[in-house]
């Protein structure tokens, strides 16, 4: 009597598209180190070389203070506006079906693909004194181009996709069941929005806000054309870094860059901590 090996007894070895774990990990970490970590480490090393006194001396310059206030204030305002507008756009894309929906969905990503300088030139052409919008609003006393308002509009333009793309998948997963259940229990639309939808969207909203803020803080190309770049008025911090380098004031440039890097790093830490915090809170509520 002969016996044949069953197919199920043959050791099955999964063939993965990339080589073994150790080699893949080594290649991934090498690329991450060379492309991302090494430049940031070099900047942190140069900033540490300034010392606390040198760093504070560079930051306390009145022109630097004005640029930092403008960059942080405009980034905060633009991130909040992008968050509200992005949540509404995501709601429309997920909850409604209409002609041109796919085109609108694709247009959301346009600021990602469009060169930032092109976006800046286009926005300036629209909002300048003789632009499509500027020619109508400036006679009313509302000047947009070459003002703080123009900077905010440019930062909303580049921050909107972050808000949409973080909220959209959560809305798709949420479905209509919970809203219908709340409506059947007599809840108003505002109560359903406040008690059912917003708690589910809150982690995604905070993540979208943090991403938009971090991007707006370091934005350069789309802002410099519409800002006008007036010192103490419309001069952003990334532009001042370039000016310091052109003046051979490397310590001044490094001090500003290190501050922006630290702020962006805090935003990234917040983005990574938000899901863990909400998951912990939900586990605690489940135990309760």
């Amino acid at each position: 009597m002969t016996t044949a090996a069953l197919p199920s007894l043959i050791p099955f070895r999964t063939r993965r598209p990339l080589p073994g774990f150790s080699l893949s990990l080594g290649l991934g970490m090498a690329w991450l180190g060379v492309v991302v970590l090494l430049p940031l480490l070099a900047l942190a090393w140069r900033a540490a070389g300034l010392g606390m006194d040198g760093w504070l001396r560079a930051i306390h310059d009145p022109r630097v203070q004005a640029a930092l206030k403008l960059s942080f204030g405009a980034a905060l305002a633009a991130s909040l506006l992008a968050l509200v507008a992005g949540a509404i756009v995501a709601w429309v894309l997920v909850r409604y079906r209409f002609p041109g929906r796919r085109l609108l969905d694709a247009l959301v990503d346009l600021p990602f693909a469009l060169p930032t300088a092109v976006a800046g030139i286009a926005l300036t052409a629209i909002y300048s004194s003789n632009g499509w919008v500027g020619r109508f609003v400036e006679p009313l006393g509302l000047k947009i181009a070459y003002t703080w308002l123009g900077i905010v509009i440019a930062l909303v333009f580049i921050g909107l996709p972050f808000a949409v793309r973080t909220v959209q998948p959560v809305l798709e997963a949420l479905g209509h069941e919970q809203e219908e259940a709340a409506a059947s229990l007599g809840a108003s639309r505002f109560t359903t929005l406040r008690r059912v939808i917003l708690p589910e969207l809150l982690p995604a909203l905070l993540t979208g806000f943090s991403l938009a803020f971090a991007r707006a803080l370091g934005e350069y190309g789309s802002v410099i054309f519409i800002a006008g770049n007036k010192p103490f008025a419309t001069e952003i911090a990334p532009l001042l870094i370039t000016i310091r380098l052109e003046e051979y004031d490397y310590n001044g440039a490094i001090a500003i860059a290190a501050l922006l890097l630290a702020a962006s790093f805090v935003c990234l830490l917040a983005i990574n901590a938000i899901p863990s915090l909400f998951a912990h809170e939900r586990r605690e509520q489940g135990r309760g």
Side-chain angles (χ1 to χ4, degrees):
M1 182 177 179
T2 59
T3 59
L6 297 175
S8 60
L9 298 180
I10 299 175
F12 178 74
R13 184 177 181 182
T14 303
R15 294 182 63 83
R16 301 183 184 280
L18 292 178
F21 172 73
S22 300
L23 182 58
S24 299
L25 179 64
L27 289 173
M29 294 303 294
W31 278 111
L32 181 66
V34 171
V35 176
V36 179
L37 296 181
L38 187 60
L40 297 182
L41 183 62
L43 176 60
W45 182 265
R46 290 292 304 270
L50 297 177
M52 184 57 70
D53 292 338
W55 187 79
L56 290 176
R57 195 180 310 114
I59 296 299
H60 280 170
D61 181 86
R63 187 175 175 181
V64 175
Q65 294 258 320
L68 290 174
K69 288 178 182 176
L70 176 63
S71 291
F72 278 90
L76 178 62
S79 303
L80 291 173
L81 291 174
L83 183 64
V84 175
I88 294 173
V89 172
W91 179 272
V92 170
L93 290 174
V94 173
R95 294 304 168 90
Y96 299 102
R97 296 295 180 267
F98 53 90
R101 174 178 164 273
R102 290 181 180 276
L103 177 61
L104 178 61
D105 195 11
L107 286 176
V108 169
D109 293 328
L110 187 60
F112 285 148
L114 194 67
T116 55
V118 175
I121 293 172
L123 292 172
T124 306
I126 292 173
Y127 294 106
S128 61
S129 301
N130 56 353
W132 291 351
V133 177
R135 68 176 65 182
F136 296 108
V137 297
E138 284 203 10
L140 302 176
L142 182 61
K143 185 175 176 58
I144 298 176
Y146 316 123
T147 66
W148 187 86
L149 184 58
I151 297 172
V152 173
I153 290 176
L155 296 181
V156 170
F157 177 81
I158 58 99
L160 183 67
F162 292 101
V164 176
R165 294 311 182 204
T166 51
V167 172
Q168 192 174 0
V170 180
L171 276 176
E172 290 174 346
L174 186 59
H176 298 274
E177 294 78 9
Q178 297 182 21
E179 298 172 42
E180 293 172 353
S184 65
L185 294 174
S188 64
R189 290 186 178 183
F190 178 73
T191 302
T192 303
L193 177 66
R194 183 171 60 88
R195 302 291 297 272
V196 176
I197 299 175
L198 283 182
E200 295 293 332
L201 291 183
L202 190 56
L205 290 172
L206 292 175
T207 301
F209 171 80
S210 301
L211 286 171
F213 182 79
R215 172 65 191 276
L217 202 56
E219 178 60 18
Y220 179 82
S222 63
V223 177
I224 55 172
F225 294 102
I226 199 170
N229 311 320
K230 301 173 186 173
F232 300 98
T234 59
E235 188 177 56
I236 58 173
L239 175 63
L240 191 54
I241 293 174
T242 305
I243 293 173
R244 289 287 189 255
L245 290 174
E246 291 174 348
E247 295 171 346
Y248 303 102
D249 183 5
Y250 298 114
N251 289 341
I254 290 171
I256 303 170
L259 184 61
L260 296 182
L261 174 63
S264 299
F265 187 67
V266 170
C267 288
L268 293 178
L269 286 179
I271 293 169
N272 287 287
I274 287 169
S276 301
L277 290 176
F278 279 92
H280 176 73
E281 183 179 351
R282 286 175 179 172
R283 284 196 299 269
E284 292 297 324
Q285 290 177 353
R287 291 173 184 171

